[in-house]
Amino acid sequence: MNSELIDLVLMASPVVQAVMVILALMSIAAWSVAISKSYQVRQAGKVAKQFDQTFWQTQELTSLFNQVVQSGEKPKGMASIFEAGFREFVRLKKQGVAHTSDLMAGTQRAMKVAYSKESEQLENRLALLATVGSSAPYIGLFGTVWGVMHAFQSLGNVQNATLAAVAPGISEALIATAIGLFAAIPAVIAYNRLTNQVDRLLGEYENFAEGFLTIMQRQAHSLETGASGQNNT
């Protein structure tokens, strides 16, 4: 059976063979992206869970900030959002900004930038899976249509047109559709699965950012209240 399939592929027209090669490359690319992104998202989820637990168990955020900065590694995920927000908060305080609204606005902008970068990294290359899942069946169908046309055109040189004469050509043409579906179905499944996981992880980032902003807002309000009390005295 395998040898017959190989023979059909080798005997296919150059256009159909080109379609098969394109679909095979698309399938390889989709599988490589699916595997690498699955590992990336899984690791990002573990890191986010660990940092979230550490954050809420930490009494002094300055010490946590120093740990993140001095770790020797570029912060990722929640750590990156925390580092950007806390760094901007401290910078604004050193510049003499005392109003809560100004402190929170600057802190939130820095966190949004960090969040956007993390979101871009998580969503990177997912579009390739969507492209393969949506285009591979049509590319395979094109190869099938072309192969069927080629099979029927070859009947013009045959005096007795029988099913046996056209069957090999149609069979080799249908392989293109099969390869297209083989490339598209896993890509669609991987895209939907990874998209849901990324959305859930980004939701956890947003919840963390909201909680962190609430803590920083309380600190900023206490600083503003203390400053206004000193001015009144």
Side-chain angles (χ1 to χ4, degrees), residues 189-221:
I189 294 174
Y191 175 78
N192 292 333
R193 177 173 172 271
L194 289 171
T195 300
N196 291 333
Q197 292 178 348
V198 168
D199 290 341
R200 185 165 56 250
L201 186 56
L202 291 177
E204 294 178 3
Y205 287 177
E206 292 178 354
N207 293 335
F208 166 78
E210 291 295 330
F212 175 56
L213 277 175
T214 301
I215 295 175
M216 301 308 293
Q217 187 173 12
R218 287 199 296 264
Q219 290 190 10
H221 182 70

PDB file of all heavy atoms in Angstrom, residues 189-221:
ATOM      1  N   ILE A 189      -6.720  22.689  15.024  1.00  0.00           N
ATOM      2  CA  ILE A 189      -6.843  22.225  16.409  1.00  0.00           C
ATOM      3  C   ILE A 189      -5.804  22.920  17.294  1.00  0.00           C
ATOM      4  O   ILE A 189      -6.115  23.408  18.391  1.00  0.00           O
ATOM      5  CB  ILE A 189      -6.687  20.703  16.481  1.00  0.00           C
ATOM      6  CG1 ILE A 189      -7.854  20.013  15.753  1.00  0.00           C
ATOM      7  CG2 ILE A 189      -6.629  20.236  17.936  1.00  0.00           C
ATOM      8  CD1 ILE A 189      -7.714  18.515  15.658  1.00  0.00           C
ATOM      9  N   ALA A 190      -4.554  22.978  16.819  1.00  0.00           N
ATOM     10  CA  ALA A 190      -3.492  23.614  17.594  1.00  0.00           C
ATOM     11  C   ALA A 190      -3.756  25.103  17.765  1.00  0.00           C
ATOM     12  O   ALA A 190      -3.528  25.661  18.849  1.00  0.00           O
ATOM     13  CB  ALA A 190      -2.142  23.399  16.913  1.00  0.00           C
ATOM     14  N   TYR A 191      -4.259  25.755  16.715  1.00  0.00           N
ATOM     15  CA  TYR A 191      -4.534  27.187  16.804  1.00  0.00           C
ATOM     16  C   TYR A 191      -5.616  27.475  17.839  1.00  0.00           C
ATOM     17  O   TYR A 191      -5.457  28.380  18.674  1.00  0.00           O
ATOM     18  CB  TYR A 191      -4.960  27.718  15.437  1.00  0.00           C
ATOM     19  CG  TYR A 191      -5.375  29.171  15.462  1.00  0.00           C
ATOM     20  CD1 TYR A 191      -4.426  30.181  15.507  1.00  0.00           C
ATOM     21  CD2 TYR A 191      -6.720  29.517  15.459  1.00  0.00           C
ATOM     22  CE1 TYR A 191      -4.798  31.510  15.542  1.00  0.00           C
ATOM     23  CE2 TYR A 191      -7.108  30.846  15.494  1.00  0.00           C
ATOM     24  CZ  TYR A 191      -6.145  31.834  15.527  1.00  0.00           C
ATOM     25  OH  TYR A 191      -6.534  33.161  15.573  1.00  0.00           O
ATOM     26  N   ASN A 192      -6.697  26.732  17.795  1.00  0.00           N
ATOM     27  CA  ASN A 192      -7.785  26.955  18.754  1.00  0.00           C
ATOM     28  C   ASN A 192      -7.319  26.676  20.187  1.00  0.00           C
ATOM     29  O   ASN A 192      -7.633  27.430  21.121  1.00  0.00           O
ATOM     30  CB  ASN A 192      -8.980  26.069  18.408  1.00  0.00           C
ATOM     31  CG  ASN A 192      -9.646  26.484  17.116  1.00  0.00           C
ATOM     32  OD1 ASN A 192      -9.588  27.651  16.718  1.00  0.00           O
ATOM     33  ND2 ASN A 192     -10.283  25.542  16.448  1.00  0.00           N
ATOM     34  N   ARG A 193      -6.585  25.603  20.355  1.00  0.00           N
ATOM     35  CA  ARG A 193      -6.106  25.238  21.699  1.00  0.00           C
ATOM     36  C   ARG A 193      -5.140  26.283  22.237  1.00  0.00           C
ATOM     37  O   ARG A 193      -5.252  26.730  23.386  1.00  0.00           O
ATOM     38  CB  ARG A 193      -5.445  23.864  21.630  1.00  0.00           C
ATOM     39  CG  ARG A 193      -4.832  23.384  22.941  1.00  0.00           C
ATOM     40  CD  ARG A 193      -4.374  21.953  22.802  1.00  0.00           C
ATOM     41  NE  ARG A 193      -3.613  21.516  23.960  1.00  0.00           N
ATOM     42  CZ  ARG A 193      -2.285  21.644  24.086  1.00  0.00           C
ATOM     43  NH1 ARG A 193      -1.586  22.199  23.091  1.00  0.00           N
ATOM     44  NH2 ARG A 193      -1.655  21.225  25.152  1.00  0.00           N
ATOM     45  N   LEU A 194      -4.166  26.685  21.429  1.00  0.00           N
ATOM     46  CA  LEU A 194      -3.171  27.645  21.880  1.00  0.00           C
ATOM     47  C   LEU A 194      -3.774  29.027  22.093  1.00  0.00           C
ATOM     48  O   LEU A 194      -3.393  29.746  23.013  1.00  0.00           O
ATOM     49  CB  LEU A 194      -2.024  27.728  20.865  1.00  0.00           C
ATOM     50  CG  LEU A 194      -1.109  26.505  20.806  1.00  0.00           C
ATOM     51  CD1 LEU A 194      -0.155  26.608  19.625  1.00  0.00           C
ATOM     52  CD2 LEU A 194      -0.314  26.372  22.099  1.00  0.00           C
ATOM     53  N   THR A 195      -4.725  29.400  21.239  1.00  0.00           N
ATOM     54  CA  THR A 195      -5.381  30.698  21.403  1.00  0.00           C
ATOM     55  C   THR A 195      -6.117  30.768  22.728  1.00  0.00           C
ATOM     56  O   THR A 195      -6.058  31.787  23.444  1.00  0.00           O
ATOM     57  CB  THR A 195      -6.348  30.956  20.240  1.00  0.00           C
ATOM     58  OG1 THR A 195      -5.619  30.961  19.006  1.00  0.00           O
ATOM     59  CG2 THR A 195      -7.032  32.308  20.398  1.00  0.00           C
ATOM     60  N   ASN A 196      -6.825  29.697  23.077  1.00  0.00           N
ATOM     61  CA  ASN A 196      -7.524  29.667  24.367  1.00  0.00           C
ATOM     62  C   ASN A 196      -6.545  29.741  25.532  1.00  0.00           C
ATOM     63  O   ASN A 196      -6.790  30.447  26.525  1.00  0.00           O
ATOM     64  CB  ASN A 196      -8.371  28.396  24.472  1.00  0.00           C
ATOM     65  CG  ASN A 196      -9.556  28.403  23.526  1.00  0.00           C
ATOM     66  OD1 ASN A 196     -10.052  29.465  23.157  1.00  0.00           O
ATOM     67  ND2 ASN A 196     -10.017  27.230  23.129  1.00  0.00           N
ATOM     68  N   GLN A 197      -5.439  29.025  25.430  1.00  0.00           N
ATOM     69  CA  GLN A 197      -4.447  29.051  26.503  1.00  0.00           C
ATOM     70  C   GLN A 197      -3.799  30.428  26.638  1.00  0.00           C
ATOM     71  O   GLN A 197      -3.584  30.915  27.756  1.00  0.00           O
ATOM     72  CB  GLN A 197      -3.374  27.983  26.247  1.00  0.00           C
ATOM     73  CG  GLN A 197      -3.876  26.555  26.367  1.00  0.00           C
ATOM     74  CD  GLN A 197      -2.792  25.539  26.060  1.00  0.00           C
ATOM     75  OE1 GLN A 197      -1.728  25.882  25.543  1.00  0.00           O
ATOM     76  NE2 GLN A 197      -3.045  24.286  26.374  1.00  0.00           N
ATOM     77  N   VAL A 198      -3.489  31.061  25.508  1.00  0.00           N
ATOM     78  CA  VAL A 198      -2.885  32.390  25.548  1.00  0.00           C
ATOM     79  C   VAL A 198      -3.861  33.412  26.119  1.00  0.00           C
ATOM     80  O   VAL A 198      -3.489  34.260  26.940  1.00  0.00           O
ATOM     81  CB  VAL A 198      -2.419  32.808  24.136  1.00  0.00           C
ATOM     82  CG1 VAL A 198      -2.053  34.286  24.105  1.00  0.00           C
ATOM     83  CG2 VAL A 198      -1.226  31.974  23.699  1.00  0.00           C
ATOM     84  N   ASP A 199      -5.132  33.339  25.707  1.00  0.00           N
ATOM     85  CA  ASP A 199      -6.136  34.265  26.234  1.00  0.00           C
ATOM     86  C   ASP A 199      -6.301  34.092  27.743  1.00  0.00           C
ATOM     87  O   ASP A 199      -6.441  35.084  28.478  1.00  0.00           O
ATOM     88  CB  ASP A 199      -7.477  34.043  25.530  1.00  0.00           C
ATOM     89  CG  ASP A 199      -7.449  34.496  24.080  1.00  0.00           C
ATOM     90  OD1 ASP A 199      -6.550  35.282  23.726  1.00  0.00           O
ATOM     91  OD2 ASP A 199      -8.328  34.064  23.307  1.00  0.00           O
ATOM     92  N   ARG A 200      -6.295  32.848  28.190  1.00  0.00           N
ATOM     93  CA  ARG A 200      -6.422  32.598  29.629  1.00  0.00           C
ATOM     94  C   ARG A 200      -5.208  33.135  30.382  1.00  0.00           C
ATOM     95  O   ARG A 200      -5.347  33.743  31.462  1.00  0.00           O
ATOM     96  CB  ARG A 200      -6.591  31.105  29.873  1.00  0.00           C
ATOM     97  CG  ARG A 200      -6.852  30.751  31.339  1.00  0.00           C
ATOM     98  CD  ARG A 200      -7.373  29.344  31.494  1.00  0.00           C
ATOM     99  NE  ARG A 200      -6.500  28.359  30.910  1.00  0.00           N
ATOM    100  CZ  ARG A 200      -6.774  27.657  29.807  1.00  0.00           C
ATOM    101  NH1 ARG A 200      -7.912  27.855  29.162  1.00  0.00           N
ATOM    102  NH2 ARG A 200      -5.915  26.766  29.341  1.00  0.00           N
ATOM    103  N   LEU A 201      -4.021  32.962  29.822  1.00  0.00           N
ATOM    104  CA  LEU A 201      -2.808  33.452  30.476  1.00  0.00           C
ATOM    105  C   LEU A 201      -2.774  34.977  30.485  1.00  0.00           C
ATOM    106  O   LEU A 201      -2.385  35.595  31.493  1.00  0.00           O
ATOM    107  CB  LEU A 201      -1.582  32.902  29.748  1.00  0.00           C
ATOM    108  CG  LEU A 201      -0.207  33.190  30.369  1.00  0.00           C
ATOM    109  CD1 LEU A 201      -0.142  32.704  31.802  1.00  0.00           C
ATOM    110  CD2 LEU A 201       0.894  32.557  29.532  1.00  0.00           C
ATOM    111  N   LEU A 202      -3.178  35.599  29.389  1.00  0.00           N
ATOM    112  CA  LEU A 202      -3.221  37.059  29.349  1.00  0.00           C
ATOM    113  C   LEU A 202      -4.261  37.601  30.330  1.00  0.00           C
ATOM    114  O   LEU A 202      -4.082  38.689  30.897  1.00  0.00           O
ATOM    115  CB  LEU A 202      -3.530  37.538  27.928  1.00  0.00           C
ATOM    116  CG  LEU A 202      -2.431  37.310  26.881  1.00  0.00           C
ATOM    117  CD1 LEU A 202      -2.890  37.757  25.508  1.00  0.00           C
ATOM    118  CD2 LEU A 202      -1.148  38.043  27.278  1.00  0.00           C
ATOM    119  N   GLY A 203      -5.345  36.852  30.530  1.00  0.00           N
ATOM    120  CA  GLY A 203      -6.322  37.238  31.538  1.00  0.00           C
ATOM    121  C   GLY A 203      -5.716  37.219  32.934  1.00  0.00           C
ATOM    122  O   GLY A 203      -6.014  38.099  33.763  1.00  0.00           O
ATOM    123  N   GLU A 204      -4.863  36.229  33.205  1.00  0.00           N
ATOM    124  CA  GLU A 204      -4.176  36.177  34.492  1.00  0.00           C
ATOM    125  C   GLU A 204      -3.223  37.366  34.637  1.00  0.00           C
ATOM    126  O   GLU A 204      -3.101  37.938  35.736  1.00  0.00           O
ATOM    127  CB  GLU A 204      -3.402  34.864  34.611  1.00  0.00           C
ATOM    128  CG  GLU A 204      -4.291  33.630  34.669  1.00  0.00           C
ATOM    129  CD  GLU A 204      -3.480  32.351  34.737  1.00  0.00           C
ATOM    130  OE1 GLU A 204      -2.232  32.442  34.795  1.00  0.00           O
ATOM    131  OE2 GLU A 204      -4.078  31.265  34.728  1.00  0.00           O
ATOM    132  N   TYR A 205      -2.560  37.750  33.550  1.00  0.00           N
ATOM    133  CA  TYR A 205      -1.699  38.933  33.591  1.00  0.00           C
ATOM    134  C   TYR A 205      -2.509  40.185  33.934  1.00  0.00           C
ATOM    135  O   TYR A 205      -2.065  41.025  34.727  1.00  0.00           O
ATOM    136  CB  TYR A 205      -1.017  39.138  32.236  1.00  0.00           C
ATOM    137  CG  TYR A 205       0.080  38.147  31.920  1.00  0.00           C
ATOM    138  CD1 TYR A 205       0.731  38.173  30.698  1.00  0.00           C
ATOM    139  CD2 TYR A 205       0.465  37.169  32.833  1.00  0.00           C
ATOM    140  CE1 TYR A 205       1.733  37.272  30.388  1.00  0.00           C
ATOM    141  CE2 TYR A 205       1.461  36.268  32.537  1.00  0.00           C
ATOM    142  CZ  TYR A 205       2.091  36.314  31.309  1.00  0.00           C
ATOM    143  OH  TYR A 205       3.092  35.420  31.006  1.00  0.00           O
ATOM    144  N   GLU A 206      -3.675  40.322  33.318  1.00  0.00           N
ATOM    145  CA  GLU A 206      -4.515  41.491  33.567  1.00  0.00           C
ATOM    146  C   GLU A 206      -5.005  41.518  35.015  1.00  0.00           C
ATOM    147  O   GLU A 206      -5.028  42.588  35.648  1.00  0.00           O
ATOM    148  CB  GLU A 206      -5.702  41.494  32.604  1.00  0.00           C
ATOM    149  CG  GLU A 206      -5.316  41.736  31.146  1.00  0.00           C
ATOM    150  CD  GLU A 206      -6.518  41.673  30.221  1.00  0.00           C
ATOM    151  OE1 GLU A 206      -7.616  41.323  30.702  1.00  0.00           O
ATOM    152  OE2 GLU A 206      -6.362  41.981  29.023  1.00  0.00           O
ATOM    153  N   ASN A 207      -5.401  40.363  35.530  1.00  0.00           N
ATOM    154  CA  ASN A 207      -5.850  40.315  36.933  1.00  0.00           C
ATOM    155  C   ASN A 207      -4.713  40.687  37.879  1.00  0.00           C
ATOM    156  O   ASN A 207      -4.928  41.399  38.874  1.00  0.00           O
ATOM    157  CB  ASN A 207      -6.373  38.916  37.257  1.00  0.00           C
ATOM    158  CG  ASN A 207      -7.650  38.589  36.501  1.00  0.00           C
ATOM    159  OD1 ASN A 207      -8.408  39.486  36.110  1.00  0.00           O
ATOM    160  ND2 ASN A 207      -7.909  37.312  36.286  1.00  0.00           N
ATOM    161  N   PHE A 208      -3.519  40.182  37.579  1.00  0.00           N
ATOM    162  CA  PHE A 208      -2.362  40.543  38.404  1.00  0.00           C
ATOM    163  C   PHE A 208      -2.092  42.041  38.339  1.00  0.00           C
ATOM    164  O   PHE A 208      -1.817  42.683  39.368  1.00  0.00           O
ATOM    165  CB  PHE A 208      -1.132  39.773  37.940  1.00  0.00           C
ATOM    166  CG  PHE A 208       0.159  40.310  38.497  1.00  0.00           C
ATOM    167  CD1 PHE A 208       0.538  40.021  39.798  1.00  0.00           C
ATOM    168  CD2 PHE A 208       0.982  41.129  37.730  1.00  0.00           C
ATOM    169  CE1 PHE A 208       1.721  40.525  40.326  1.00  0.00           C
ATOM    170  CE2 PHE A 208       2.162  41.635  38.250  1.00  0.00           C
ATOM    171  CZ  PHE A 208       2.533  41.330  39.546  1.00  0.00           C
ATOM    172  N   ALA A 209      -2.161  42.608  37.133  1.00  0.00           N
ATOM    173  CA  ALA A 209      -1.903  44.035  36.976  1.00  0.00           C
ATOM    174  C   ALA A 209      -2.910  44.867  37.761  1.00  0.00           C
ATOM    175  O   ALA A 209      -2.545  45.879  38.379  1.00  0.00           O
ATOM    176  CB  ALA A 209      -1.934  44.413  35.496  1.00  0.00           C
ATOM    177  N   GLU A 210      -4.170  44.461  37.749  1.00  0.00           N
ATOM    178  CA  GLU A 210      -5.188  45.185  38.502  1.00  0.00           C
ATOM    179  C   GLU A 210      -4.914  45.120  40.001  1.00  0.00           C
ATOM    180  O   GLU A 210      -5.029  46.123  40.719  1.00  0.00           O
ATOM    181  CB  GLU A 210      -6.571  44.613  38.188  1.00  0.00           C
ATOM    182  CG  GLU A 210      -7.064  44.891  36.779  1.00  0.00           C
ATOM    183  CD  GLU A 210      -7.300  46.361  36.525  1.00  0.00           C
ATOM    184  OE1 GLU A 210      -7.644  47.078  37.486  1.00  0.00           O
ATOM    185  OE2 GLU A 210      -7.128  46.807  35.373  1.00  0.00           O
ATOM    186  N   GLY A 211      -4.562  43.944  40.490  1.00  0.00           N
ATOM    187  CA  GLY A 211      -4.243  43.810  41.907  1.00  0.00           C
ATOM    188  C   GLY A 211      -3.022  44.612  42.294  1.00  0.00           C
ATOM    189  O   GLY A 211      -2.985  45.251  43.361  1.00  0.00           O
ATOM    190  N   PHE A 212      -2.000  44.584  41.448  1.00  0.00           N
ATOM    191  CA  PHE A 212      -0.780  45.334  41.720  1.00  0.00           C
ATOM    192  C   PHE A 212      -1.051  46.836  41.727  1.00  0.00           C
ATOM    193  O   PHE A 212      -0.556  47.573  42.589  1.00  0.00           O
ATOM    194  CB  PHE A 212       0.271  44.977  40.680  1.00  0.00           C
ATOM    195  CG  PHE A 212       1.544  45.769  40.789  1.00  0.00           C
ATOM    196  CD1 PHE A 212       2.261  45.798  41.973  1.00  0.00           C
ATOM    197  CD2 PHE A 212       2.028  46.485  39.710  1.00  0.00           C
ATOM    198  CE1 PHE A 212       3.441  46.525  42.077  1.00  0.00           C
ATOM    199  CE2 PHE A 212       3.194  47.213  39.812  1.00  0.00           C
ATOM    200  CZ  PHE A 212       3.901  47.232  40.991  1.00  0.00           C
ATOM    201  N   LEU A 213      -1.857  47.300  40.763  1.00  0.00           N
ATOM    202  CA  LEU A 213      -2.202  48.718  40.718  1.00  0.00           C
ATOM    203  C   LEU A 213      -2.972  49.158  41.963  1.00  0.00           C
ATOM    204  O   LEU A 213      -2.800  50.277  42.453  1.00  0.00           O
ATOM    205  CB  LEU A 213      -3.028  49.015  39.466  1.00  0.00           C
ATOM    206  CG  LEU A 213      -2.249  49.242  38.165  1.00  0.00           C
ATOM    207  CD1 LEU A 213      -3.204  49.399  36.996  1.00  0.00           C
ATOM    208  CD2 LEU A 213      -1.347  50.463  38.281  1.00  0.00           C
ATOM    209  N   THR A 214      -3.826  48.276  42.469  1.00  0.00           N
ATOM    210  CA  THR A 214      -4.575  48.603  43.680  1.00  0.00           C
ATOM    211  C   THR A 214      -3.632  48.823  44.864  1.00  0.00           C
ATOM    212  O   THR A 214      -3.795  49.768  45.653  1.00  0.00           O
ATOM    213  CB  THR A 214      -5.574  47.477  44.006  1.00  0.00           C
ATOM    214  OG1 THR A 214      -6.472  47.308  42.907  1.00  0.00           O
ATOM    215  CG2 THR A 214      -6.379  47.810  45.257  1.00  0.00           C
ATOM    216  N   ILE A 215      -2.627  47.960  44.987  1.00  0.00           N
ATOM    217  CA  ILE A 215      -1.648  48.105  46.067  1.00  0.00           C
ATOM    218  C   ILE A 215      -0.857  49.403  45.907  1.00  0.00           C
ATOM    219  O   ILE A 215      -0.660  50.159  46.871  1.00  0.00           O
ATOM    220  CB  ILE A 215      -0.706  46.890  46.097  1.00  0.00           C
ATOM    221  CG1 ILE A 215      -1.481  45.619  46.439  1.00  0.00           C
ATOM    222  CG2 ILE A 215       0.424  47.117  47.094  1.00  0.00           C
ATOM    223  CD1 ILE A 215      -0.654  44.366  46.367  1.00  0.00           C
ATOM    224  N   MET A 216      -0.411  49.672  44.686  1.00  0.00           N
ATOM    225  CA  MET A 216       0.362  50.880  44.446  1.00  0.00           C
ATOM    226  C   MET A 216      -0.481  52.128  44.647  1.00  0.00           C
ATOM    227  O   MET A 216       0.019  53.175  45.094  1.00  0.00           O
ATOM    228  CB  MET A 216       0.944  50.858  43.031  1.00  0.00           C
ATOM    229  CG  MET A 216       1.859  49.668  42.750  1.00  0.00           C
ATOM    230  SD  MET A 216       3.163  49.453  43.987  1.00  0.00           S
ATOM    231  CE  MET A 216       4.141  50.919  43.704  1.00  0.00           C
ATOM    232  N   GLN A 217      -1.768  52.054  44.338  1.00  0.00           N
ATOM    233  CA  GLN A 217      -2.642  53.201  44.538  1.00  0.00           C
ATOM    234  C   GLN A 217      -2.801  53.512  46.016  1.00  0.00           C
ATOM    235  O   GLN A 217      -2.822  54.683  46.420  1.00  0.00           O
ATOM    236  CB  GLN A 217      -4.010  52.940  43.906  1.00  0.00           C
ATOM    237  CG  GLN A 217      -4.937  54.141  43.916  1.00  0.00           C
ATOM    238  CD  GLN A 217      -6.200  53.886  43.133  1.00  0.00           C
ATOM    239  OE1 GLN A 217      -6.492  52.751  42.766  1.00  0.00           O
ATOM    240  NE2 GLN A 217      -6.955  54.932  42.858  1.00  0.00           N
ATOM    241  N   ARG A 218      -2.880  52.469  46.840  1.00  0.00           N
ATOM    242  CA  ARG A 218      -2.960  52.698  48.282  1.00  0.00           C
ATOM    243  C   ARG A 218      -1.683  53.349  48.795  1.00  0.00           C
ATOM    244  O   ARG A 218      -1.729  54.253  49.638  1.00  0.00           O
ATOM    245  CB  ARG A 218      -3.219  51.370  49.014  1.00  0.00           C
ATOM    246  CG  ARG A 218      -4.640  50.844  48.847  1.00  0.00           C
ATOM    247  CD  ARG A 218      -4.961  49.839  49.934  1.00  0.00           C
ATOM    248  NE  ARG A 218      -4.131  48.651  49.853  1.00  0.00           N
ATOM    249  CZ  ARG A 218      -4.496  47.527  49.241  1.00  0.00           C
ATOM    250  NH1 ARG A 218      -5.697  47.443  48.670  1.00  0.00           N
ATOM    251  NH2 ARG A 218      -3.678  46.487  49.223  1.00  0.00           N
ATOM    252  N   GLN A 219      -0.532  52.868  48.279  1.00  0.00           N
ATOM    253  CA  GLN A 219       0.721  53.478  48.697  1.00  0.00           C
ATOM    254  C   GLN A 219       0.819  54.930  48.247  1.00  0.00           C
ATOM    255  O   GLN A 219       1.261  55.800  48.997  1.00  0.00           O
ATOM    256  CB  GLN A 219       1.907  52.675  48.143  1.00  0.00           C
ATOM    257  CG  GLN A 219       2.084  51.313  48.774  1.00  0.00           C
ATOM    258  CD  GLN A 219       3.392  50.664  48.366  1.00  0.00           C
ATOM    259  OE1 GLN A 219       4.251  51.315  47.762  1.00  0.00           O
ATOM    260  NE2 GLN A 219       3.562  49.397  48.705  1.00  0.00           N
ATOM    261  N   ALA A 220       0.399  55.192  47.012  1.00  0.00           N
ATOM    262  CA  ALA A 220       0.446  56.562  46.502  1.00  0.00           C
ATOM    263  C   ALA A 220      -0.491  57.471  47.290  1.00  0.00           C
ATOM    264  O   ALA A 220      -0.158  58.630  47.577  1.00  0.00           O
ATOM    265  CB  ALA A 220       0.080  56.572  45.026  1.00  0.00           C
ATOM    266  N   HIS A 221      -1.650  56.950  47.651  1.00  0.00           N
ATOM    267  CA  HIS A 221      -2.609  57.751  48.426  1.00  0.00           C
ATOM    268  C   HIS A 221      -2.062  58.064  49.817  1.00  0.00           C
ATOM    269  O   HIS A 221      -2.218  59.190  50.327  1.00  0.00           O
ATOM    270  CB  HIS A 221      -3.937  57.008  48.544  1.00  0.00           C
ATOM    271  CG  HIS A 221      -4.990  57.771  49.282  1.00  0.00           C
ATOM    272  ND1 HIS A 221      -5.586  58.908  48.758  1.00  0.00           N
ATOM    273  CD2 HIS A 221      -5.565  57.566  50.506  1.00  0.00           C
ATOM    274  CE1 HIS A 221      -6.476  59.376  49.627  1.00  0.00           C
ATOM    275  NE2 HIS A 221      -6.472  58.575  50.693  1.00  0.00           N
TER     276      HIS A 221
END
